[in-house]
Amino acid sequence: MVKILDGKKLAEEIRVALKLEILELGEKKGIAPGLAVILVGDSVASQIYVRNKERACESLGIFSEVHRLAENIEEEKILALIAELNEKNEIHGILIQLPLPSHIDSQKIISAIDPKKDVDCFHPENVGRMFLGDPRFFPCTPLGIVEILKRYEIKISGKKVVIVGRSNIVGKPLAMMMLRENATVTMAHSKTENLKEETLRANILIVAAGRAGLITADMIKQGAVVIDVGINRGENGELAGDVDFEKVCKIASAITPVPGGVGPMTIAMLMKNTTAAAKNI
Ligand code: NAP
């Protein structure tokens, strides 16, 4: 019988613990963690993500402010806003909702954030520190995935972990974090010659490609653990992951659903990083 890895439930448990931590921080130090979110343009998906983050902050007593900027805004104006937020005492975390419009240099924008406030862990200094084994933060989605595995007591050490997708946000940092947990890591991507040959080797398969139905049951080793990071919207707005959930459930020992798997954990980890940033000032 496959075990459903319930990210929604875990995220709720994490929120309950964080709420107490935040109350204590307020009582002892008079600090409320603060998060600033910068949203450029009017992508529906980005707006939904930002609203979910706002709601999560509200429910925990984290102060939040959202800066909604026009799609055609100049890069200089975003940089000026970041400089302002870097100096603002009540803001401990700054998040740029990606992707940014194509006329904006995303790397330049991310690099302008004070690394101590980079709760997404995308700043080159924080990426470098994580790579070298001296992390300040871990990026939220990969951290959420590691938390799911640990909280369900799924052994990572010594296991063959195959990651499909090599983005800077998910695949690459996740590979580093899995190495840190002593997994044997393989990374697959769109140029991988025989994807099935790679995925069939996985004790733990993590898929972050953004391609609905990419992973079918014949690509799964019997008893593997499957983590589906993909979020794909169907014609009627319904959400689906990258994995053929129904059929893969018959082969895998454990699997995350979409929605209700990695997504809620990503937000919980953002709250955790923001609280940690407030504690560390
Ligand atoms: P991305 O930047 O578009 O990267 C996608 C990766 O998948 C690339 O490395 C690409 O390979 C690879 N890929 C694409 N098609 C493939 C194929 N047919 N076979 C093998 N590899 C393939 O995406 P991302 O930002 O990492 O996000 C990936 C998915 O996760 C999206 O659906 C996104 O919405 C979702 N996501 C979810 C959360 C969450 O909280 N649940 C957070 C972040 C992202 P190349 O490098 O060769 O192009």
Side-chain angles (χ1 to χ4, degrees):
M1 183 69 176
V2 69
K3 179 179 275 182
I4 304 298
L5 305 173
D6 188 343
K8 204 171 161 189
K9 192 182 101 203
L10 291 186
E12 183 51 34
E13 285 170 20
I14 291 166
R15 273 198 297 271
V16 168
L18 266 181
K19 206 167 181 169
L20 292 176
E21 225 178 282
I22 292 166
L23 268 177
E24 199 178 293
L25 191 63
E27 281 165 9
K28 288 200 176 146
K29 292 195 178 170
I31 296 173
L35 176 70
V37 178
I38 301 178
L39 171 61
V40 183
D42 39 30
S43 141
V44 175
S46 291
Q47 287 185 44
I48 294 173
Y49 296 144
V50 167
R51 216 168 316 132
N52 288 341
K53 288 167 188 171
E54 251 183 315
R55 274 200 208 117
C57 284
E58 229 171 85
S59 73
L60 289 182
I62 294 180
F63 164 72
S64 76
E65 54 183 42
V66 178
H67 298 266
R68 292 184 168 79
L69 308 177
E71 177 88 24
N72 61 357
I73 190 152
E74 297 109 54
E75 202 171 84
E76 289 310 313
K77 291 208 170 128
I78 308 179
L79 290 171
L81 173 60
I82 292 173
E84 202 183 293
L85 295 170
N86 281 343
E87 295 303 319
K88 205 168 169 179
N89 287 337
E90 55 273 36
I91 293 298
H92 307 97
I94 303 172
L95 179 150
I96 316 285
Q97 185 65 43
L98 299 175
L100 288 171
S102 55
H103 69 282
I104 308 278
D105 180 346
S106 301
Q107 205 49 56
K108 192 170 168 188
I109 298 291
I110 289 166
S111 300
I113 298 174
D114 177 347
K116 293 193 194 71
K117 296 190 177 187
D118 170 40
V119 285
D120 253 344
C121 193
F122 293 162
H123 190 287
E125 180 182 312
N126 289 330
V127 175
R129 282 182 62 155
M130 183 184 59
F131 193 98
L132 295 172
D134 176 29
R136 176 183 275 132
F137 297 111
F138 287 107
C140 303
T141 301
L143 183 58
I145 293 167
V146 173
E147 280 285 327
I148 291 175
L149 294 172
K150 288 192 172 169
R151 284 175 184 249
Y152 275 97
E153 297 180 354
I154 292 166
K155 189 170 176 233
I156 306 173
S157 179
K159 297 296 174 191
K160 290 189 179 70
V161 172
V162 176
I163 300 169
V164 183
R166 55 174 165 179
S167 72
N168 290 338
I169 298 174
V170 188
K172 277 190 213 160
L174 182 60
M176 270 310 126
M177 291 165 70
M178 286 293 156
L179 269 183
R180 201 181 146 85
E181 298 294 336
N182 299 314
T184 302
V185 183
T186 300
M187 296 196 69
H189 44 78
S190 71
K191 306 292 187 293
T192 297
E193 282 191 349
N194 189 338
L195 184 61
K196 180 175 167 180
E197 196 177 287
E198 303 301 336
T199 59
L200 273 174
R201 271 197 263 268
N203 303 119
I204 302 174
L205 175 65
I206 307 175
V207 193
R211 301 279 182 276
L214 176 67
I215 303 296
T216 46
D218 59 322
M219 298 168 83
I220 307 292
K221 184 189 175 92
Q222 189 71 43
V225 172
V226 179
I227 306 286
D228 191 352
V229 188
I231 301 177
N232 306 290
R233 260 166 228 282
E235 280 173 11
N236 302 321
E238 74 280 9
L239 292 185
D242 291 350
V243 176
D244 181 348
F245 183 82
E246 298 300 333
K247 296 209 173 97
V248 168
C249 273
K250 299 195 172 92
I251 315 279
S253 61
I255 188 167
T256 56
V258 178
V262 176
M265 288 298 283
T266 297
I267 297 186
M269 295 302 106
L270 174 66
M271 301 298 115
K272 188 173 163 160
N273 280 353
T274 304
T275 307
K279 277 184 154 176
N280 290 337
I281 49 168

